[in-house]
Amino acid sequence: MPHRSVPHPTAPDESAGDRPTDLRPFMAAFPTGVSVVTTLDSDSVPHGLTCTSLASVALEPATLVVCIRAASPTLAVLLAEGHFAVNLLHERARGTSDLFASGAPDRFDRVEWRLPLGAGGPHLTADAHAVADCAVVRTVGFGDHTAVFAEVRRVTVRDDREPLLYGLRRYAPWSAAAAAAQPAACHELPAALRPAAPEGATRVVR
């Protein structure tokens, strides 16, 4: 039988029109990877924040969007400089996720990072399993956040690290999720979708 959503009766003072909808429980039920967005200001001072609001927009040109709180100091620098890096954290980097979510002023002193030639922002070398170097192409402000559309200029991937996941307000390692038994109907990935580089290698995709 098809599932139908049945509206629940509400008291007049609790109607949807009288109070804003809290989107957080819904988004908490949508597990995602965890990223740290990084950039440098005009004095080469690093800035960064933890971000789970990330999505691909197009493959040609390679474009993604990150949504950042409008009042964020990192966003102000990112927009002023026009470039940034998205560091996807591996499953042992929960502490780094918490650190960059805390806004601690010394957060870059407490992690390993470097700035390769042509990088959009600092690469968190000890904590990221993939990094995208990006250039801002468009921004859209909406409510308390700004959507930043960016062209991806370079992608660096490490095949020896697994992603960190976040959902229902807690972390989980990808290796644990991937170890779960798969349905019998599942088949091996086609050759075209398998990683091209040997395990443990670093790949740079331009």
Side-chain angles (χ1 to χ4, degrees), residues 164-177:
L164 178 66
L165 304 178
Y166 186 76
L168 297 176
R169 298 181 176 87
R170 60 181 182 265
Y171 294 97
W174 170 261
S175 58

Side-chain angles (χ1 to χ4, degrees), residues 94-184:
R94 172 179 174 173
T96 297
S97 173
D98 290 338
L99 175 63
F100 278 81
S102 73
D106 64 341
R107 52 194 179 275
F108 279 94
D109 295 331
R110 296 160 61 182
V111 296
E112 178 184 312
W113 64 277
R114 65 187 182 92
L115 192 70
L117 184 65
H123 288 200
L124 304 184
T125 50
D127 299 298
H129 69 90
V131 182
D133 292 301
C134 307
V136 177
V137 293
R138 182 176 301 177
T139 62
V140 177
F142 196 93
D144 56 2
H145 277 63
T146 296
V148 180
F149 293 83
E151 182 177 343
V152 179
R153 301 291 176 80
R154 179 176 63 186
V155 170
T156 305
V157 178
R158 290 195 54 131
D159 294 307
D160 60 336
R161 300 176 180 179
E162 303 288 354
L164 178 66
L165 304 178
Y166 186 76
L168 297 176
R169 298 181 176 87
R170 60 181 182 265
Y171 294 97
W174 170 261
S175 58
Q182 300 297 309

Side-chain angles (χ1 to χ4, degrees), residues 15 51 104-105 132:
S15 65
C51 177

Side-chain angles (χ1 to χ4, degrees), residues 166-203:
Y166 186 76
L168 297 176
R169 298 181 176 87
R170 60 181 182 265
Y171 294 97
W174 170 261
S175 58
Q182 300 297 309
C186 289
H187 300 286
E188 186 178 3
L189 283 175
L193 298 180
R194 298 175 198 159
E199 184 175 351
T202 298
R203 294 183 286 120

